[in-house]
DNA sequence: CACGTCAGCTACAACGTTTTCGTGTTGATA
DNA sequence: TATCAACACGAAAACGTTGTAGCTGACGTG
């Protein structure tokens, strides 16, 4: 186990000064050709690489991005991370991930752990609990300390920062319109509680679509799932709620704000003997593995997570590398969506 | 935007020395009560947090783990990351993720980017390309430099390090035995090419099970998928290969070495009019979202990714924090598996 | 009064870099 | 021969922290 060589050991070994070694390796014209070659050869031989930590300390930048997401076991978030990684690596940045597990406290801890010099900026999708308790002090304090934040997907209007979102209202409107034009007469929606911005906005789009076609909105047809900040374990609870919904309502079209809700609705519908898409047409939101491999394959809205990730990383890195004194105004970029036609809708 | 306070600014502000501030905050008995209180109050007021980078430089440890995986958009890997994060955070460690995208070159780059001081140790599941070209110099060099590595799932026998695996052979044996005892007469396997260790081992288990029951192994029934280092885009190619397999062979039991293969096989079988589990019983490997939400829900082997992640993090951190001079021998821990009975098998 | 002790503080080095500002030697020029 | 530029290199500071060693003044003891 040979130790990593430092400038100092190279200097001692070659009997020159540390500065000379540093300059030689950076090809400074201050150093003579001969010395340069000698140093470079030695450095290559011993596989010298500058110590990142020392560089970070000196340059006051770490070339590392902090990504905080509610859950990693979730296809949408992982595609976003892929996008972030892709863009960031390309620009020489690393990515640290923190998981909030939808918990406010863990979000705060993660932010604090990383905000002490470990990273140059954050990309975050806020936890449901944070949205629900409406306590954003950790975010505003971080921004106050000069650490930029980019929010994506779940976004907080009150916080001024760069944002990457999807036009939830318009997109949902489009999806529900599609259901209408495919012949659905009774269209329901399975959404989240209102404090989750995306749920609220997608419900809004749902209403807009109906109203624009002169259809009255029946609030009984709007199911707002109570998922206790944790969508993974309480699958039965989710099924139960959807089951009850089907007991009380008869629908021939359904719009679900994520793919899990859509898939689960399909399952419950199948148990009730409904045929998809003949008796019931369904559109989901987010194009994940579930949608693609479901039976029948689910017609869904693609959020283009990869592009969202790339865009978020781009916004963040641009802000980090912007050396102008005049602060750039905050941008919120809207990533386009597409409806991917599969087999849970007609036509 | 107020700057992060450092020891130096606190010292200047309170007109004491930097050392005094440092010691006061760490509650050293060298410092008088009065001064301590003054410093602590000031630090709290200005929300002082020690700079991680400076600490890392000084202590020569970063309290950060580097995790390198082939793909993040993959349920098994994300559960492993969850497990790693869970254990690591608990011990005050952060996690940097690097994606190799199954590419040898990207794996090397990622390793090098992080090995220059950014992390204390690696947890890695090697890329298929690396396994196929059999070039492990980046891994052995990293270990040589004193940076410990823990491998999980896809593991390299030639490299001496801690490992976390599943007993692929035994587990597969159990699964195939189950198929046999459920009445299957013609049992096939969908595996990977042999350079992927898990594929090779699971195929071995498949053969063992058959032989132990006195059934002759028919190599035609062994399909080794050629997936070109990228399982995501070439879904049609995968389908094609499975389709051809079904054309040539008639099976009533199928063991697939991952869930995507299993799900795709189900899809192809359905197209051929086969009823599951009546005409064909299927068992997959890895309990992911696909298995759970498939139609019908897939009987599968749970690898307990979360536990694997926790175990990997545990091994790594224990090694990092082991201050004994005598090197601990390398361990490989075997995480248990379970068959999760769902609806693609009888009984 | 000389000496030692102790509390309470400060100075300094070190971690590995980069960069600014010297400094000494050479050779050419006036 | 005195002056000066060009060249090749070194010393030192800085980033933020911690730990060791050193310093100062007050007090007690013989």
């Amino acid at each position: 186990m040979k130790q990593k060589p430092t400038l100092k050991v190279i200097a001692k070994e070659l009997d020159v000064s540390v500065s000379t070694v540093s300059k030689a390796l950076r090809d400074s014209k201050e150093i003579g050709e001969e010395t340069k070659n000698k140093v470079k050869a030695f450095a290559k031989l011993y596989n010298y690489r500058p110590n990142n930590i020392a560089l970070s300390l000196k340059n006051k930048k770490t070339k590392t991005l902090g990504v905080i997401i509610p859950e990693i076991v979730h296809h949408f978030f992982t595609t976003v991370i892929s996008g972030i990684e892709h863009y960031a690596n390309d620009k020489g940045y690393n990515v640290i991930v923190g998981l909030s597990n939808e918990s406010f406290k863990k979000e705060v801890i993660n932010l604090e752990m990383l905000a002490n010099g470990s990273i140059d900026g954050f990309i975050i999708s806020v936890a449901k609990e944070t949205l629900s308790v409406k306590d954003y002090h950790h975010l505003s304090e971080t921004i106050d300390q000069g650490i930029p934040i980019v929010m994506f997907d779940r976004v907080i209007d009150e916080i001024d920062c760069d944002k990457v979102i999807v036009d939830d209202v318009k997109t949902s409107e489009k999806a529900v319109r599609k259901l209408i034009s495919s012949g659905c007469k009774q269209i329901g929606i399975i959404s989240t509680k209102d404090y989750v911005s995306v749920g609220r906005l997608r419900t809004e789009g749902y209403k807009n679509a109906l109203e624009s076609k002169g259809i009255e909105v029946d609030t009984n047809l709007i199911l707002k799932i109570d998922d206790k900040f944790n969508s993974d374990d309480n699958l039965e609870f989710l099924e139960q709620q959807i089951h009850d919904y089907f007991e009380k309502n008869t629908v021939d079209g359904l719009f679900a704000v994520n793919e899990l809700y859509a898939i689960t609705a399909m399952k419950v519908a199948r148990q009730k003997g409904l045929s998809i898409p003949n008796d019931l047409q369904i559109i989901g939101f987010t194009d994940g593995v579930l949608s693609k491999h479901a039976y029948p394959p689910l017609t869904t809205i693609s959020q283009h997570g990869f592009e969202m990730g790339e865009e978020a990383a781009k916004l963040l890195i641009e802000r980090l590398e912007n050396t102008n004194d005049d602060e750039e105004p905050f941008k919120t970029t809207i990533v386009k969506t597409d409806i991917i036609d599969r087999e849970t809708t007609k036509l």
Side-chain angles (χ1 to χ4, degrees), chain A:
Chain A
M1 164 177 150
K2 51 186 176 222
Q3 269 308 320
K4 281 237 104 179
T6 66
L7 291 185
K8 205 198 286 192
V9 319
I10 298 183
K12 186 178 293 179
E13 212 69 27
L14 296 180
D15 212 39
V16 292
S17 79
V18 174
S19 349
T20 305
V21 178
S22 172
K23 286 173 192 164
L25 292 175
R26 326 201 93 242
D27 230 350
S28 157
K29 61 189 104 22
E30 283 184 62
I31 307 296
E33 277 307 316
E34 204 183 341
T35 317
K36 273 198 221 174
N37 291 335
K38 191 174 60 174
V39 172
K40 283 184 189 165
F42 194 92
K44 178 173 275 178
L45 182 62
Y46 286 91
N47 196 27
Y48 170 79
R49 299 256 180 279
N51 179 308
N52 267 330
I53 296 292
L55 286 179
S56 298
L57 183 59
K58 183 137 223 325
N59 303 331
K60 287 164 151 285
K61 51 179 70 167
T62 61
K63 286 267 188 176
T64 304
L65 272 28
V67 176
I68 297 181
I69 51 172
E71 259 188 276
I72 199 169
V73 188
H74 196 305
H75 187 268
F76 171 65
F77 288 124
T78 56
T79 54
V80 175
I81 293 186
S82 286
I84 294 173
E85 275 267 350
H86 182 249
Y87 190 91
N89 280 358
D90 212 57
K91 299 279 176 185
Y93 281 76
N94 275 120
V95 174
I96 285 192
V97 268
L99 270 30
S100 69
N101 258 307
E102 301 286 13
S103 140
F104 172 70
K105 200 172 150 199
K106 272 213 68 185
E107 187 173 285
V108 174
I109 291 175
N110 257 302
L111 224 72
E112 282 179 353
M113 263 191 97
L114 297 179
N116 303 308
S118 303
I119 53 96
D120 296 338
F122 282 110
I123 296 177
I124 185 173
S125 183
V126 284
K128 284 185 189 170
E129 194 184 358
T130 306
L131 293 167
S132 130
V133 300
K134 289 191 198 305
D135 185 346
Y136 313 136
H137 77 275
H138 54 309
L139 299 166
S140 43
E141 275 171 15
T142 305
I143 295 176
D144 251 32
Q145 283 177 8
I147 303 178
I149 293 184
V150 176
M151 295 186 180
F152 73 92
D153 193 51
R154 300 198 204 140
V155 140
I156 298 169
D157 291 337
E158 293 93 315
I159 302 269
D160 214 23
C161 65
D162 291 317
K163 287 161 192 168
V164 179
I165 50 168
V166 130
D167 189 337
D168 287 290
V169 181
K170 284 243 167 58
T171 302
S172 306
E173 217 176 305
K174 194 163 62 174
V176 175
R177 281 235 183 83
K178 179 186 172 71
L179 251 18
I180 296 173
S181 66
S182 300
C184 296
K185 300 298 178 200
Q186 281 281 312
I187 300 176
I189 179 173
I190 307 184
S191 183
T192 64
K193 296 281 179 195
D194 274 347
Y195 55 77
V196 183
S197 56
V198 296
R200 188 180 63 247
L201 295 171
R202 290 168 195 176
T203 306
E204 199 179 314
Y206 160 83
K207 290 179 183 166
N208 289 353
L210 295 182
E211 280 162 2
S212 76
K213 295 284 182 180
I215 304 173
E216 206 177 328
V217 174
D218 178 355
T219 54
N220 289 320
L221 296 182
I222 300 177
L223 172 59
K224 292 181 182 168
I225 297 290
D226 180 10
D227 66 359
K228 298 172 174 170
F229 313 140
N230 180 348
S231 57
D232 212 42
D233 285 329
N234 40 25
L235 196 59
E236 293 109 61
F237 186 52
L238 173 61
E239 271 181 43
Q240 187 57 48
Q241 290 177 74
I242 294 177
H243 185 84
D244 293 351
Y245 175 84
F246 275 120
E247 287 295 306
K248 286 188 227 131
N249 303 287
T250 310
V251 292
D252 58 357
L254 204 46
F255 175 55
V257 302
N258 61 47
E259 63 173 6
L260 183 62
Y261 293 177
I263 296 288
T264 310
M266 279 171 62
K267 184 174 172 189
V268 175
R270 202 157 38 220
Q271 284 163 0
K272 292 185 65 73
L274 265 41
S275 149
I276 296 169
N278 291 327
D279 303 333
L280 174 64
Q281 299 186 55
I282 300 187
I283 296 182
F285 210 115
T286 289
D287 183 38
V289 269
L290 279 181
S291 306
K292 200 186 303 183
H293 295 102
Y295 176 70
L298 182 68
T299 295
T300 191
I301 290 162
S302 169
Q303 273 184 100
H304 300 298
F306 193 86
E307 284 78 7
M308 286 184 80
E310 284 187 317
E311 184 60 30
K314 184 154 171 272
L315 284 176
L316 183 52
I317 291 176
E318 272 171 5
R319 187 164 295 279
L320 288 172
E321 298 192 340
N322 168 21
T323 47
N324 297 359
D325 299 333
D326 45 324
E327 300 273 308
E328 285 285 310
F330 291 113
K331 295 179 207 155
T332 115
T333 83
I334 296 176
V335 174
K336 84 169 188 347
T337 54
D338 288 306
I339 295 189
I340 300 184
D341 279 303
R342 284 197 274 246
E343 300 169 26
T344 58
T345 46
K346 294 184 203 167
L347 287 190

